Amino acid sequence: QVQLVESGGGSVQAGGSLRLSCVVSGYTASINLLGWFRQAPGKEREGVAGLYAADGRTYYADSVKGRFTISRDNAKNTVYLQMNSLKPEDTAMYVCAASDTRGWVLSSYDYNYWGRGTQVTVSS
C-alpha cells in the first residue's frame, strides 16, 4: 500500500507561482509512476505532469509545458509540482497519484493510488 498527502495549494493572482508537495509513504519501492492530475468543476480529470520512477523521465500536458515542473526528492519521499505563470484556467483540485503498475504517466487509468487533493485557485 502507498499513501499520498498533498499540500501547498491556495489562491494566487494570474502570473503568480505555487509549489505543491506530495509526501509519499508506504511501500514506495514498488512505485513505477508518479503524477499530478487536476480536475476543475464540470471537466474531466487531466494529467498535467508525470515522471517514471525508474529513470526520472518527465512528461507534461501541452497546456502546462514550460510553466510547470515536476520533481522528486527521494530522501524526503516527496514529489513536487512547481507552477509558474499561473493562469485562471489552471484553477482546479490538484491530486497527486502513484502507481505500482506500468503505464503512461499522464493517464489516470494507469494509477492505483491517489491523494485527496489540494485546491488551486488563480484569479485574473
Side-chain angles (χ1 to χ4, degrees), residues 6-117:
E6 305 94 334
S7 62
S11 297
V12 65
Q13 289 192 328
S17 298
L18 283 173
R19 189 177 79 157
L20 306 183
S21 300
C22 173
V23 177
V24 185
S25 61
Y27 190 41
T28 57
S30 67
I31 294 173
N32 289 321
L33 312 177
L34 288 163
W36 285 96
F37 294 78
R38 68 184 180 188
Q39 188 162 17
K43 294 188 177 182
E44 292 188 357
R45 181 174 287 177
E46 176 189 20
V48 296
L51 67 83
Y52 288 99
D55 58 13
R57 284 177 294 151
T58 58
Y59 293 86
Y60 300 90
D62 288 342
S63 57
V64 306
K65 275 181 185 175
R67 300 189 298 122
F68 290 13
T69 303
I70 186 172
S71 63
R72 61 177 173 173
D73 184 330
N74 290 332
K76 295 182 178 180
N77 284 332
T78 302
V79 181
Y80 302 99
L81 185 66
Q82 178 67 44
M83 305 186 295
N84 299 329
S85 302
L86 283 161
K87 304 175 182 180
E89 51 263 44
D90 294 319
T91 295
M93 178 70 75
Y94 283 73
V95 184
C96 179
S99 174
D100 55 14
T101 63
R102 300 188 183 277
W104 170 229
V105 284
L106 296 183
S107 170
S108 62
Y109 296 103
D110 291 334
Y111 285 79
N112 51 353
Y113 299 106
W114 295 86
R116 293 192 173 187

